Amino acid sequence: HQCVAVTLSPGIQRCFLHNSASSGPIASDYAAEKKIQSYDLRCSKPEVSMEPCTYDRQVFEGGLLETVPDIYSARLCLEECYHDASCVFATYEPFTLNCLLRSGDATGPVYSGTTDRVTSFKIHCEQIQGKRPEEGCVKVGLKAKSGIIVEQKAVESEDLCFEECFQSEKCVVATYYGDSKSCTLGDSSHQLVPAESQ
């Protein structure tokens, strides 16, 4: 509760928290060379409303405004988007430390196909946590045979499977397999068949 500023030093992998007695920040050649970053939370904290929709392992395409380098967390990437009036979507790449800011012209999200855990955001969007299909739209014992967009492993519940579908613009059907905890998402070309068929 006493922290009012943060300094990130990636070279030694340390994060320093400062209270209100600290002075600065002070610009230096050393800090620039070591890519040290400091943040005064008294400036940024009140301005940032952290209520985005979050898309794990998914990216947006097109509408690129800027690639911001040397960003050390997904939250800081999100803040970059909130502070850019034109930014609607942001993607954080932990393996490059890049934050990609995109306008409302971007499309997606789509699955990235990379093993690195990218995180994308859409700011000020409808929250879909806990949202379920309308009554009568859940078909027990049926699965999508064609039009599969992606299959995900280790999905803990059907509700999380539904959320994955609601987050994808192309998804219109989701199949959850409770035994294997896998979730498949399908597009409008899907066909529903009995779950035991191939």
Side-chain angles (χ1 to χ4, degrees):
H1 294 294
Q2 297 178 358
C3 179
V4 299
V6 179
T7 297
L8 300 174
S9 183
I12 59 174
Q13 297 184 334
R14 293 287 181 88
C15 174
F16 301 92
L17 308 183
H18 307 280
N19 62 24
S20 58
S22 63
S23 60
I26 301 172
S28 71
D29 293 337
Y30 175 81
E33 179 184 350
K34 299 300 183 181
K35 298 182 178 179
I36 296 173
Q37 295 183 338
S38 292
Y39 301 89
D40 189 334
L41 302 182
R42 291 166 294 188
C43 296
S44 63
K45 215 170 191 178
E47 300 174 12
V48 178
S49 175
M50 308 298 277
E51 297 180 355
C53 283
T54 303
Y55 307 91
D56 291 330
R57 303 182 304 279
Q58 298 177 71
V59 298
F60 291 90
E61 299 174 336
L64 182 65
L65 297 169
E66 182 182 3
T67 299
V68 183
D70 302 322
I71 300 296
Y72 294 96
S73 73
R75 180 185 175 90
L76 294 177
C77 179
L78 179 58
E79 288 196 10
E80 291 286 339
C81 187
Y82 270 104
H83 289 303
D84 185 329
S86 300
C87 183
V88 177
F89 307 103
T91 297
Y92 178 63
E93 299 178 340
F95 48 95
T96 63
L97 300 182
N98 284 339
C99 174
L100 285 68
L101 307 183
R102 300 183 186 274
S103 70
D105 295 328
T107 59
V110 296
Y111 283 88
S112 64
T114 176
T115 56
D116 294 290
R117 193 172 179 82
V118 300
T119 303
S120 291
F121 305 98
K122 178 182 180 183
I123 65 172
H124 305 308
C125 72
E126 177 191 3
Q127 297 297 302
I128 55 123
Q129 185 175 1
K131 185 175 179 181
R132 292 179 59 86
E134 294 180 4
E135 186 176 353
C137 291
V138 178
K139 307 295 183 182
V140 179
L142 298 179
K143 67 177 183 179
K145 180 180 181 181
S146 57
I148 302 301
I149 303 170
V150 69
E151 180 177 356
Q152 289 188 272
K153 304 292 185 181
V155 178
E156 291 300 319
S157 70
E158 64 179 31
D159 285 346
L160 292 176
C161 184
F162 293 148
E163 287 183 20
E164 291 287 344
C165 188
F166 282 123
Q167 287 179 346
S168 172
E169 291 185 359
K170 294 182 179 180
C171 181
V172 299
V173 61
T175 303
Y176 183 68
Y177 300 87
D179 291 343
S180 61
K181 295 187 180 299
S182 61
C183 171
T184 59
L185 308 182
D187 62 20
S188 57
S189 67
H190 74 279
Q191 290 181 318
L192 290 179
V193 299
E196 65 273 9
S197 64
Q198 298 298 317

